[in-house]
Amino acid sequence: RYFINLTQPEIAAQLKKNPLVILPAGSVEQHGPHLPTGTDIYAANVISHAVAERMDGLVLPGGPLGVTPMHMPFEGTITLSPETYQRVVVETGASTAQHGAKRLMILNWHEGNIPSLAIASEKLHRDVGMSVIVVQACYVAAELYGHDCGGLTHGGEIEALAVLAYINLERKGIPMFKNLTGGLKSHTTKIGLLALAGVIGHTLTTVSSGGPVDWKEVGLGAVVAVLGALAKDNAEPAKP
């Protein structure tokens, strides 16, 4: 399912079979003292994997960086300008289109990327001819599980569960993550103290046992969101 793990003939055959590519979008930014700075891109990759399984698509090597100037006061944050990020997304999509990809699904887990992704997706559709849909995967997860996890918060339970899911899927046994799997401490921070701790919300110790989130269901929710958007577009009369 992963573009960078396949050979050129395998990619060519898959794009001929199903010209769908999936781009995970996230960021590298501080998530407090308990989560890695790659939390957002890890979450996007977990959901991309689930969607690729259901829709028989290729997961592109989405760069981990995003647009996150609001977190630059904290060490551990790397931000791109909106213009740079848009160009990376456009050139990534255009490259795959040259090789036969016709549909691009962008699965985003970082709110700071939303305006840039809207601009980039429109440009890919207009200039390259790709069908592009951007799914705000973090909102899908919040809608499905926010009531059990205290909502979608920065460094909160849903994001902690996403990191654990990524560990189980791709990085289990890597020493840099062993401290996370041993149990995550509880951190509660009011919005007014964000400058001190970098966290909004609760990270519960119970998440170390797996927690309530089924990430395949989140992936299915992303697919449903895409199908709903397509149905809405097809139902609406064309604008003059």
Side-chain angles (χ1 to χ4, degrees):
R1 296 298 176 190
Y2 292 94
F3 193 94
I4 58 175
N5 292 341
L6 300 177
T7 65
Q8 177 269 321
E10 289 172 331
I11 291 171
Q14 176 61 27
L15 290 176
K16 186 175 181 180
K17 176 185 174 185
N18 183 6
L20 168 67
V21 289
I22 300 165
L23 180 67
S27 65
V28 174
E29 63 187 33
Q30 67 81 26
H31 277 79
H34 59 298
L35 291 179
T37 57
T39 291
D40 288 1
I41 194 63
Y42 293 160
N45 272 293
V46 167
I47 299 169
S48 294
H49 178 82
V51 171
E53 284 187 329
R54 292 179 178 274
M55 299 190 71
D56 190 29
L58 280 178
V59 180
L60 298 176
L65 302 181
V67 181
T68 182
M70 68 288 288
H71 289 285
M72 280 304 293
F74 297 89
E75 297 85 354
T77 301
I78 301 174
T79 189
L80 299 179
S81 68
E83 295 78 14
T84 298
Y85 185 63
Q86 292 164 29
R87 186 168 180 177
V88 169
V89 173
V90 168
E91 293 187 8
T92 299
S95 293
T96 64
Q98 185 172 331
H99 301 313
K102 297 178 181 179
R103 298 187 292 273
L104 171 63
M105 182 190 300
I106 302 174
L107 288 172
N108 180 47
W109 191 283
H110 176 60
E111 291 173 309
N113 293 339
I114 293 175
S116 294
L117 289 174
I119 294 170
S121 60
E122 194 276 334
K123 184 173 179 62
L124 280 167
H125 178 68
R126 183 184 68 244
D127 296 349
V128 182
M130 296 189 84
S131 296
V132 185
I133 290 182
V134 182
V135 178
Q136 306 305 336
C138 51
Y139 296 157
V140 174
E143 183 174 343
L144 289 172
Y145 295 105
H147 55 284
D148 292 326
C149 299
L152 179 65
T153 56
H154 186 74
E157 188 173 358
I158 285 183
E159 293 201 317
L161 289 166
V163 171
L164 289 176
Y166 180 81
I167 294 168
N168 292 333
L169 182 65
E170 293 291 336
R171 305 292 293 275
K172 191 173 183 179
I174 302 299
M176 64 182 293
F177 291 110
K178 284 186 177 179
N179 289 337
L180 290 176
T181 59
L184 304 178
K185 295 182 179 179
S186 176
H187 294 272
T188 305
T189 307
K190 293 182 179 179
I191 184 104
L193 298 179
L194 178 61
L196 298 179
V199 181
I200 303 176
H202 302 263
T203 301
L204 305 179
T205 55
T206 54
V207 301
S208 61
S209 63
V213 175
D214 180 346
W215 291 98
K216 287 191 175 182
E217 185 175 348
V218 177
L220 177 60
V223 173
V224 170
V226 169
L227 296 177
L230 288 173
K232 181 179 179 181
D233 288 346
N234 291 333
E236 292 179 349
K239 296 181 180 178

